[in-house]
Amino acid sequence: MAMSGAAKLMPSVPLTEPATTAVSIRNLSVRFGDRNNEFTALSDVSVDIPEGAFVTMLGPSGCGKSTLLRCVADLVHISDGSISVFGRSPQEARQSRDFAFVFQDATLLPWRNVLENVRLPLEVGKHAQTGDNADPHELLAMVGLKGRENALPHELSGGMRQRVAIARALITRPRILLMDEPFGALDEITRDRLNEELLRVWQETGTTILFVTHSIPEAAFLGQNVLMLQAHPGRVKEFMKVDLPFPRSLAVRDTVEFIGVTAHLRRLLEECL
Amino acid sequence: MSHVVSSTAKTEADRKIALLDATAGVLVKHMPAIAAAVGLVVLWQFVVWAFKIPTFMAPSPVDVAYAFRDNAGILWTNMLPTILEAFLGFVFGNLVAILLAIWFVHSATAEKAFYPIAVFIKAIPIIALAPILVLIFGNGLAPKIIIAGLICFFPTLVNMVQGLKSASPAMLDLMRVLSASNTEILWKVRLPSSMPFLFAALKIAATSSVMGAIVAEWIGSSFGLGALIIEATYNFRSPLLYATVVIAAVLAVVLFFIVSVIEARMIRWKPAGSH
């Protein structure tokens, strides 16, 4: 399941000293419901995500971390404030395919085989044919699914389905990958493996990744930075750097430094409650 | 299939053996059903013989078999219009239902306006509607096709609306992130995910379209299996009546079978949530 050869697929961005801001969120508020029964999901959130960064978002349930991600993806209406994705509105960024989204459920179309699912983004939308797209076969090889091109989703395991979803997200060579608890429904062994592979994909492609999770070790292992949110209403608790060197392997989780990070995150999380 | 030019003698023999195997397999698989059917026919013959039931009241299976032989021409000429009516009714009824369902899914106003009317039309007993349509459209094929179509229409409309709405919210979110148009969402997501729902309705429609055509033929018609049923009843030609009923049933089963075969070919994926 080696994710090799990705460097050829994606434009490589150096990881040192990112120059530009990928996502800039300013005084963002999101309210749901009508005037009588209003619910504030996010209140006055401001944060800058540098280009090429891997940022994990962590917080108690109901803190609005998924909502924040969906705002960036233009799936949720913004009540106040602004979001800019490479200097453009989320809608413009969506239409020019600046980002791709990976859901908790793989959301593969069950009547399409693996290859057809990966090719779906190339078949819909105005920018389908114009972009500089990756080769679906190479992408499938990268996520370890070479030879399974003709399998239907129900013939694959949950982990394999999520690999297909990741390959589908990368087909348009997005500059940002938005991931909403993508490994939340998987067993721990599969999840560990996909975590390691996702880090490799990130390092080889230089894609900016925003990753929502409710697992403390996952947030610490994957993130260069952790964006901690707190609930009622959802707001930023802390935007902290994870001081662990890259490349990281699963073994890093047994080190004192890693345990220090997770202990700190757990303390912050308890303060949120 | 045996006279396909390109096939060599060996593969032809292989194919024949495979065909025999398949036939034997089907026979073995359906053995209980076949045994039960044969048993019931034998029981029927025995009851008619033992209680000396007069033929006009209830003919024996042997009488019905003779009726098939003696009336082959009549049965054949009356079966053709019924097939045509049922088929055309099936096609048009389902087509209108599918188009209406697509409209409903894209326009909540249309759904609110016309769904209750569709329910009302469904509520009219089809047998009461037949004379009205005969008065309007005369005694030709048209009223029969309309009734066969109406009977197909409602189950397909209900299932198709449900099927088009069965696409998961996550799938629709995915299509939105991909900036897909409504037309693209319809073709790539909504229509494919509605197929299992559509075929469930089409299987119901396949058998009821034959029923619709026959019921329509009861009202002042001079042709079709329905007219033959009325005529045979009034003339006490019970064996012919039974033969007609058997043909009508076989017709419905054949239509059902055709729809099932198309379904098996088209839907090779499992609907979401069933894995």
Side-chain angles (χ1 to χ4, degrees), chain B residues 37-91:
Chain B
V38 170
L40 283 173
V41 170
V42 170
L43 182 70
W44 170 13
Q45 179 74 45
F46 175 78
V47 169
V48 169
W49 169 79
F51 295 95
K52 297 190 172 55
I53 295 170
T55 304
F56 75 88
M57 214 169 126
S60 72
V62 174
D63 293 330
V64 176
Y66 282 135
F68 268 112
R69 189 198 59 192
D70 299 339
N71 302 295
I74 299 175
L75 286 168
W76 177 250
T77 49
N78 284 294
M79 187 174 79
L80 292 179
T82 306
I83 292 179
L84 187 68
E85 292 152 14
F87 177 74
L88 289 178
F90 180 83
V91 169

Side-chain angles (χ1 to χ4, degrees), chain A residues 69-117:
Chain A
L69 198 71
R70 293 170 71 83
C71 282
V72 176
D74 192 31
L75 286 172
V76 170
H77 182 72
I78 298 170
S79 306
D80 273 313
S82 67
I83 294 180
S84 107
V85 180
F86 289 112
R88 290 188 278 196
S89 73
Q91 189 192 348
E92 288 165 340
R94 165 169 67 77
Q95 283 166 352
S96 59
R97 296 277 172 88
D98 278 349
F99 55 78
F101 205 103
V102 179
F103 299 85
Q104 175 169 8
D105 185 59
T107 59
L108 303 179
L109 303 183
W111 48 87
R112 286 176 162 241
N113 67 25
V114 166
L115 189 63
E116 290 164 343
N117 264 295

Side-chain angles (χ1 to χ4, degrees), chain A residues 7-236:
Chain A
K8 285 176 293 184
L9 287 171
M10 306 286 164
S12 186
V13 176
L15 296 174
T16 49
E17 295 308 308
T20 50
T21 304
V23 181
S24 174
I25 299 166
R26 286 280 163 274
N27 310 107
L28 176 75
S29 291
V30 172
R31 290 181 291 274
F32 294 123
D34 53 25
R35 198 164 291 174
N36 303 320
N37 189 18
E38 202 175 68
F39 167 73
T40 306
L42 289 169
S43 167
D44 200 24
V45 172
S46 293
V47 67
D48 283 322
I49 312 292
E51 184 172 11
F54 197 136
V55 176
T56 51
M57 288 154 73
L58 192 62
S61 62
C63 70
K65 49 193 190 295
S66 282
T67 307
L68 184 56
L69 198 71
R70 293 170 71 83
C71 282
V72 176
D74 192 31
L75 286 172
V76 170
H77 182 72
I78 298 170
S79 306
D80 273 313
S82 67
I83 294 180
S84 107
V85 180
F86 289 112
R88 290 188 278 196
S89 73
Q91 189 192 348
E92 288 165 340
R94 165 169 67 77
Q95 283 166 352
S96 59
R97 296 277 172 88
D98 278 349
F99 55 78
F101 205 103
V102 179
F103 299 85
Q104 175 169 8
D105 185 59
T107 59
L108 303 179
L109 303 183
W111 48 87
R112 286 176 162 241
N113 67 25
V114 166
L115 189 63
E116 290 164 343
N117 264 295
V118 172
R119 288 187 49 81
L120 176 73
L122 308 181
E123 296 171 19
V124 299
K126 282 181 200 137
H127 293 258
Q129 272 78 42
T130 55
D132 168 33
N133 300 312
D135 176 38
H137 293 281
E138 281 181 45
L139 273 178
L140 281 171
M142 181 168 99
V143 297
L145 284 174
K146 199 179 176 70
R148 302 306 302 271
E149 285 84 355
N150 296 319
L152 287 171
H154 72 87
E155 296 164 343
L156 303 176
S157 68
M160 285 174 163
R161 283 204 285 272
Q162 207 52 272
R163 288 167 198 266
V164 178
I166 291 171
R168 178 180 63 192
L170 293 173
I171 188 87
T172 51
R173 297 183 203 266
R175 298 170 80 182
I176 306 174
L177 204 51
L178 305 170
M179 309 182 87
D180 190 0
E181 298 186 26
F183 310 138
L186 304 178
D187 62 273
E188 202 178 339
I189 298 164
T190 311
R191 174 185 249 197
D192 285 350
R193 199 164 187 173
L194 284 173
N195 274 344
E196 221 177 3
E197 289 176 13
L198 182 62
L199 273 187
R200 207 173 304 146
V201 169
W202 170 63
Q203 291 194 296
E204 288 173 3
T205 60
T207 311
T208 309
I209 299 182
L210 267 170
F211 188 103
V212 169
T213 177
H214 51 227
S215 153
I216 294 173
E218 191 173 58
F221 177 70
L222 290 175
Q224 267 183 325
N225 302 86
V226 177
L227 176 63
M228 176 80 81
L229 298 178
Q230 70 187 102
H232 311 300
R235 58 199 186 278
V236 177

